[in-house]
Amino acid sequence: MIERFEYPKTKEALLSLLSPEAVLVAGATALYKDAKLKTAGYAIDITRCGLDKIVVRDNEIEIGATARLKDLTVENLGNSAEARMIAATAFSIASTQIRAAVTVGGNVVHPAPWSDLPVVFYALDAKVKVETASEAFELNFEELCSNDPRKLLRGGVVTAIVVPLSKANRKMRFEKFQMTDTEIALANFAGVWTEVDGKIVDPRMVIGTLSPRPCRATNMEAALVGKAPEVENFEAAAQAAKEEIKIMPNFRMKVETRARILGVFLRRALEAAQNDAPYDRCHCSGNPILR
Amino acid sequence: MKLNFFLNNEETCFEIEPDALLVDVLRDNGFVSVKVGCREGNCGCCTVLIDGEPLMSCITLAAQVEGRHVETVESLGSMQNPHILQTTLVDHSAVQCGFCTPGILLATKSLLAKNPNPTEAEVRRAIDGNLCRCTGYVKIVEGILDAAAKMRENT
């Protein structure tokens, strides 16, 4: 069981403390019931060494790993489409108290099937910066969503998530189906594409919650490539996703029900992306967050 | 281990186990206004302010508040000298069993410190992590809006 807490004030001090005996503490909203709390030798509070900065550059947004969900606002992220999508996603997560506690890095490294930010970061092709005492490297979300993220860290710590910003004519949207404003998702989705000469190119469609980890809906993407961004093509793409995704059981809603709503949910998301619809968190039971 | 922090603006030191939860440490040291409900971060009745932000103390390790400022509802007012937020909620019949009330008061305190003139939507968002099984929230929201108006008049 842990016998002491360390409170490093710099990243270098944090890296020097890393070891298999340590458990890292950031938001800790899942840690309190984690078995590692009982087996680790010591704990490291990683929230005091400056890893919470959000830096907006011309071509990217760098979000510090210990930035909280409450910090993901357009005031801090900028006014790009990517920033607005990330801010809307963060605002849709849980409650005021939880958003004040949960860190971006923790949400990525300790994902639940219904986690929202990994879906968005995957669609945006974000990278995760990791550092150990001896090396620094990056991970992408295809790797993170195919493996246990903690095993990929090589004993290191996530320092930032870097979201590329595109100057191209891109459409994007995050959508979430949840029964109330603070409940977890019953389905979530993030889609991004570029429009060239009136046709969709390079679509990235990520569906979460329905499978254990977020996954690229490759059949959906194939149904969109080279097509005009119009309703009938969105419907065909949503149908392709419905046939592609293997929905896992969930005690909150039957597989059959989620399968029935999936097509409509995805079509609405694609339409909202195409129309640059504004985000609105207020919604009533059963409706997605878009108004 | 010793936990050194500020509790309701007073320098405080508690002897704790490293894996102790903040809600238990506070209650074991007499601050029973911090309620235990779900122990899962869902109901909000354990809400405290940490550096001015509302957080669920049932899923916060006590050691995480080393050096930080923690506030319970005792920081707001007392039976002899209640805060205007407390009296206004009572006046609006926004308190029935009272179990959720400390958490709601602290969430509201945090809101009004940042936004003294909130809209109804902003009030509802600020207390979206505080469940109330008694009132249906209408009178709570009305009370908070009324208290905010009174506080603006007083400044």
Side-chain angles (χ1 to χ4, degrees), chain A residues 45-102:
Chain A
D45 184 327
I46 66 170
T47 64
R48 302 158 194 254
C49 41
L51 294 181
D52 58 343
K53 305 288 182 284
I54 297 174
V55 179
V56 182
R57 304 184 180 100
D58 254 356
N59 60 338
E60 65 185 20
I61 306 172
E62 181 164 323
I63 304 172
T66 61
R68 313 282 175 164
L69 298 190
K70 70 172 179 65
D71 300 323
L72 300 183
T73 62
V74 289
E75 286 79 14
N76 292 330
L77 295 167
N79 202 30
S80 61
E82 292 87 346
R84 290 196 302 275
M85 183 159 80
I86 294 168
T89 304
F91 191 40
S92 78
I93 296 173
S95 64
T96 298
Q97 291 92 325
I98 296 295
R99 291 192 299 277
V102 171

Side-chain angles (χ1 to χ4, degrees), chain A residues 6 8 37-38 132 147 164 192 202 211 221 247 251 272 282 287 290:
Chain A
E6 299 282 352
L37 200 58
K38 298 286 184 201
T132 69
N147 302 281
V192 182
D202 193 25
S211 309
E221 293 173 354
I247 300 174
F251 73 91
C282 296
N287 289 333
L290 168 66

